[in-house]
Amino acid sequence: MKFAIPYQNGRIAGHFSKAESFLFTDQKHSEITPNPALNNTGCGGKKSLLSLLKSQQIDALVVRNIGQKMLGNLLQSNIRVFHAKNASLNNAAFTDLPEFTDATQGRPCKNTKQGCCSKKQNVMTSKLTAPSRLKQTFIVLGCKA
């Protein structure tokens, strides 16, 4: 299983789409890639980010905070999303994290009346029926994660 983690200053970033970079990891390999959403304004950057995750064949994400619309898009793309309550990668077992299964579990959009994001009237409410716990633990940049 391949995970993506919004990454900033050696920690899990506070907000998914505003992270400096993304850490892609599986049981054998880890790599850091710049966040394409930072180079674009509006929804274009977030679409680029979603495309990157799909092209990297990400199975799951570990996030601290994520918006409802992006969460809905990820769930609709069959990417599992797990919630980390703190920023530390140390001692964080992905198997112990709660899983987001509905877009309404994300943060409401503050800018629904501005920009291209306002074109979508309803928040997607996709649900996953996959198991809520993973049975794998990964080594991330030398830290047990």
Side-chain angles (χ1 to χ4, degrees):
M1 183 170 281
K2 192 169 184 181
F3 275 84
I5 302 168
Y7 192 70
Q8 196 156 328
N9 301 322
R11 301 168 66 85
I12 301 172
H15 193 282
F16 173 73
S17 64
K18 295 178 184 175
E20 183 178 282
S21 56
F22 278 81
L23 173 66
F24 297 109
T25 186
D26 59 21
Q27 289 178 316
K28 300 174 187 172
H29 178 56
S30 294
E31 69 177 275
I32 296 175
T33 303
N35 181 357
L38 297 180
N39 298 330
N40 296 301
T41 58
C43 297
K46 292 179 183 180
K47 289 177 184 175
S48 296
L49 176 54
L50 187 58
S51 293
L52 172 66
L53 296 172
K54 288 179 181 179
S55 72
Q56 289 282 333
Q57 299 177 332
I58 296 302
D59 299 301
L61 286 164
V62 176
V63 300
R64 288 180 53 210
N65 296 297
I66 188 166
Q68 289 179 340
K69 290 179 183 178
M70 180 57 89
L71 180 57
N73 287 330
L74 291 165
L75 295 175
Q76 192 170 44
S77 299
N78 293 318
I79 297 174
R80 297 172 72 186
V81 182
F82 294 89
H83 181 230
K85 294 186 191 308
N86 63 53
S88 176
L89 285 172
N90 300 330
N91 303 320
F94 296 154
T95 55
D96 294 335
L97 299 175
E99 183 173 359
F100 289 135
T101 57
D102 190 276
T104 59
Q105 292 174 294
R107 289 189 170 194
C109 181
K110 294 179 184 176
N111 299 319
T112 55
K113 295 182 181 180
Q114 300 174 9
C116 62
C117 294
S118 65
K119 292 178 185 174
K120 293 183 181 179
Q121 296 295 327
N122 296 321
V123 173
M124 292 179 223
T125 58
S126 301
K127 290 188 177 184
L128 284 179
T129 57
S132 64
R133 300 262 184 222
L134 293 178
K135 295 182 179 178
Q136 298 177 7
T137 301
F138 297 99
I139 304 300
V140 180
L141 297 177
C143 300
K144 187 173 182 180

